[in-house]
Amino acid sequence: MDKPLFTFPDDEGKTPLVEAEISMNESDWHDLIQIGSFRSMGNKIAYIIFMVLCTTFSLYIAFIALLAKNLPAFLVYFVSAAVFLALLIYMKPYSKYAAKLFPNNFKHQKYSFYLHHFTCTDENRAASLDYDLTANAYENSCGFAMIMKDGGLFYIPKRNLSDEQKHMLHSVMVNKFGSKFSVTAI
């Protein structure tokens, strides 16, 4: 970003706690999709275990239905087992495919974290958001994600950050988001 198109008059003269200038690529979008996919299950290992258990249970019930010669029940449980198995096997290829669908017009972004809010700017948009508007914030080995109450999502990949920026950003998130912030594993 050469010259910012957007300015925030309230922030003039204020020094941000931490700033991060990032550029998104396809692997960053892939990581972000995996964060969203595995968030409800806790992490990737829990997701895999859950899907294996659901598949096994559905196959077991389908086998019992087959022994009882109940064809409709067999078909229902066999199809549900196939769905669980597909969700297990195709999660990574699906997230890579979905990552290719994202537009490339938001590649370069700048995040600035202040005392009571943070800003995000890029070539086409800008936002100044209070920390209270955040529903959840996550850190994992790939980056930092902030999920807003209105469904908005902000992501800062770690590969663009220096060690000092990573440490400062972690500290700011712990202090500003409190119990909404958690460190997770993919």
Side-chain angles (χ1 to χ4, degrees), residues 11-22:
D11 294 339
E12 288 182 17
K14 293 182 182 175
T15 304
L17 300 171
V18 64
E19 284 186 317
E21 197 160 332
I22 63 161

Side-chain angles (χ1 to χ4, degrees), residues 76-97:
V76 167
Y77 285 105
F78 187 76
V79 167
S80 67
V83 168
F84 286 125
L85 190 60
L87 287 172
L88 178 65
I89 293 172
Y90 292 111
M91 173 51 79
K92 190 169 183 175
Y94 168 75
S95 63
K96 284 187 177 184
Y97 169 74

Side-chain angles (χ1 to χ4, degrees), residues 48-159:
I48 291 169
I49 291 170
F50 179 75
M51 288 301 167
V52 167
L53 288 174
C54 288
T55 303
T56 306
F57 179 74
S58 294
L59 285 174
Y60 176 71
I61 299 297
F63 179 70
I64 290 174
L66 184 65
L67 291 177
K69 297 181 183 176
N70 187 347
L71 187 61
F74 169 76
L75 290 175
V76 167
Y77 285 105
F78 187 76
V79 167
S80 67
V83 168
F84 286 125
L85 190 60
L87 287 172
L88 178 65
I89 293 172
Y90 292 111
M91 173 51 79
K92 190 169 183 175
Y94 168 75
S95 63
K96 284 187 177 184
Y97 169 74
K100 292 179 183 178
L101 297 177
F102 282 100
N104 293 325
N105 57 351
F106 298 127
K107 281 188 175 181
H108 303 288
Q109 297 175 336
K110 181 178 180 183
Y111 289 90
S112 300
F113 291 84
Y114 294 94
L115 191 58
H116 300 290
H117 68 283
F118 69 95
T119 62
C120 174
T121 58
D122 62 28
E123 301 91 22
N124 302 317
R125 63 186 176 144
S128 178
L129 301 154
D130 290 333
Y131 294 118
D132 294 336
L133 297 175
T134 306
N136 292 309
Y138 299 97
E139 176 186 0
N140 62 20
S141 60
C142 301
F144 298 91
M146 294 161 288
I147 301 170
M148 308 309 288
K149 289 180 180 176
D150 67 355
L153 181 64
F154 296 94
Y155 182 65
I156 304 172
K158 285 186 175 179
R159 67 172 178 75

Side-chain angles (χ1 to χ4, degrees), residues 8-54:
F8 299 100
D10 292 342
D11 294 339
E12 288 182 17
K14 293 182 182 175
T15 304
L17 300 171
V18 64
E19 284 186 317
E21 197 160 332
I22 63 161
S23 60
M24 297 284 283
N25 63 24
E26 190 176 305
S27 67
D28 294 328
W29 288 111
H30 170 63
D31 295 337
L32 183 59
I33 291 167
Q34 283 197 329
I35 289 170
S37 299
F38 300 136
R39 180 181 60 141
S40 61
M41 300 303 291
N43 61 31
K44 189 174 186 176
I45 295 169
Y47 177 85
I48 291 169
I49 291 170
F50 179 75
M51 288 301 167
V52 167
L53 288 174
C54 288

